[in-house]
Amino acid sequence: PQKKGKGIDWRKVYHDAKEALEKVGLDISPREMMRNLSTSQQQLVAIAKAISANPKILVLDEPTSTLTKAESETLFEVLYDLKRRGIACIYISHKLDEVFKISDRIFVLRDGTTQGEFSKDNFNRDLIVQHMVGREIKDMFPKETCEIGDEVMRVENVTVTHPYNPLKSIVERASFSLRKGEILGLAGLVGSGRSELVNAIFGAQTTKSSCDIYIEGKKAKINGPRDAMKYGLGLATEDRKKDGVVLIETIRENISLPSL
């Protein structure tokens, strides 16, 4: 940061930080605490930090793993701009669509060794996948047919109050049902209330929430995760590191936590 006399010009620091956040599409105050941000917002701040150092080579290790499609597109525009300015980027990802979209060259790694190199004019998805897994994949997404059974859970009128504004709701009167053998997807942008909705159902929402839950036709009374588990519910949290595991304990202790 630019010095001002013997100290630091904090006005410039915050101004530059704001500009760095805008480059990755984050409309938040530079004074906001990192712990108050969502996982995807923290990811974007980390990317903004790396870009603000004006690197000659930028290495991005799965940068879009927690980003929405819109946030990923914003990041790609930033990378295109860096490319135009002559900055080299190494982009690591499991998402092949992204790799094909932004790469000029692709290196495939398997078991720590290079399996192949491809330039933009000879990208071949099937061949690249074959190099990745070590064998030919003829049917990448085989269609499975499963019998959809009776309704096992019905959720009605899920409402979750905003943590900072009690007059506003993050989730408002949401309802859905779930049947045996079914996979139900909940889609939405960051901040749309997806995590708050499932946390409220599981009894893990920290802000005020309410909902009516029926398990196999009978109304369930869930006041916390302990009650939810008694009804046969499990929750894999959005932020595993923060909410899903106790990092100072062993795997044995973490796996046994639900039973304890």
Side-chain angles (χ1 to χ4, degrees):
Q2 181 176 336
K3 289 188 176 181
K4 187 177 182 181
K6 293 184 178 181
I8 296 175
D9 187 350
W10 287 106
R11 180 177 295 181
K12 176 171 173 53
V13 170
Y14 286 116
H15 176 269
D16 292 348
K18 184 69 174 176
E19 284 190 343
L21 293 174
E22 289 174 351
K23 285 182 180 179
V24 296
L26 264 184
D27 184 20
I28 57 175
S29 170
R31 299 174 185 269
E32 182 62 78
M33 299 296 289
M34 284 291 290
R35 64 170 174 261
N36 296 333
L37 303 182
S38 66
T39 305
S40 61
Q41 288 175 323
Q42 292 176 356
Q43 180 88 310
L44 288 171
V45 171
I47 294 169
K49 179 177 70 172
I51 294 173
S52 67
N54 296 318
K56 294 180 179 179
I57 301 174
L58 180 64
V59 182
L60 300 104
D61 190 357
E62 298 187 53
T64 61
S65 58
T66 61
L67 303 185
T68 65
K69 185 176 181 179
E71 291 169 332
S72 298
E73 289 296 333
T74 300
L75 174 61
F76 298 155
E77 290 301 322
V78 173
L79 296 183
Y80 293 146
D81 180 60
L82 294 177
K83 177 181 174 180
R84 286 190 291 267
R85 289 159 48 192
I87 297 173
C89 297
I90 300 175
Y91 190 91
I92 301 167
S93 179
H94 294 290
K95 300 179 180 180
L96 289 182
D97 289 340
E98 294 181 357
V99 172
F100 288 129
K101 180 176 182 177
I102 68 173
S103 300
D104 295 299
R105 283 189 298 151
I106 296 176
F107 277 83
V108 178
L109 293 179
R110 187 177 79 248
D111 298 330
T113 60
T114 301
Q115 299 297 317
E117 177 185 354
F118 303 85
S119 58
K120 200 174 188 66
D121 57 356
N122 68 346
F123 284 172
N124 183 305
R125 176 182 287 270
D126 293 337
L127 187 58
I128 288 175
V129 171
Q130 182 177 334
H131 278 72
M132 288 170 62
V133 299
R135 58 186 173 86
E136 185 179 0
I137 304 294
K138 294 183 179 180
D139 192 359
M140 189 173 295
F141 300 106
K143 181 63 178 177
E144 299 289 343
T145 56
C146 301
E147 182 180 347
I148 304 300
D150 298 331
E151 182 182 86
V152 290
M153 182 172 73
R154 187 170 79 257
V155 179
E156 297 180 348
N157 302 319
V158 183
T159 299
V160 180
T161 304
H162 194 284
Y164 307 122
N165 184 358
L167 300 178
K168 182 180 178 182
S169 296
I170 301 177
V171 181
E172 189 167 359
R173 300 175 64 81
S175 303
F176 63 87
S177 64
L178 184 67
R179 298 179 179 275
K180 290 182 179 179
E182 183 179 55
I183 298 175
L184 175 66
L186 298 177
L189 298 176
V190 172
S192 61
R194 298 162 304 171
S195 299
E196 289 79 5
L197 187 148
V198 295
N199 284 335
I201 295 171
F202 197 70
Q205 182 61 34
T206 55
T207 57
K208 184 179 179 181
S209 63
S210 62
C211 61
D212 296 318
I213 303 173
Y214 297 87
I215 306 293
E216 295 184 336
K218 297 181 180 179
K219 189 167 184 178
K221 188 177 181 180
I222 298 177
N223 294 318
R226 187 190 302 271
D227 296 331
M229 287 187 286
K230 288 180 180 178
Y231 285 104
L233 272 65
L235 175 66
T237 62
E238 177 188 26
D239 190 341
R240 289 357 160 232
K241 185 177 179 181
K242 177 175 176 287
D243 301 318
V245 294
V246 181
L247 296 175
I248 61 173
E249 298 292 352
T250 65
I251 295 174
R252 181 185 66 180
E253 274 75 34
N254 274 278
I255 289 179
S256 61
L257 277 177
S259 302
L260 299 175

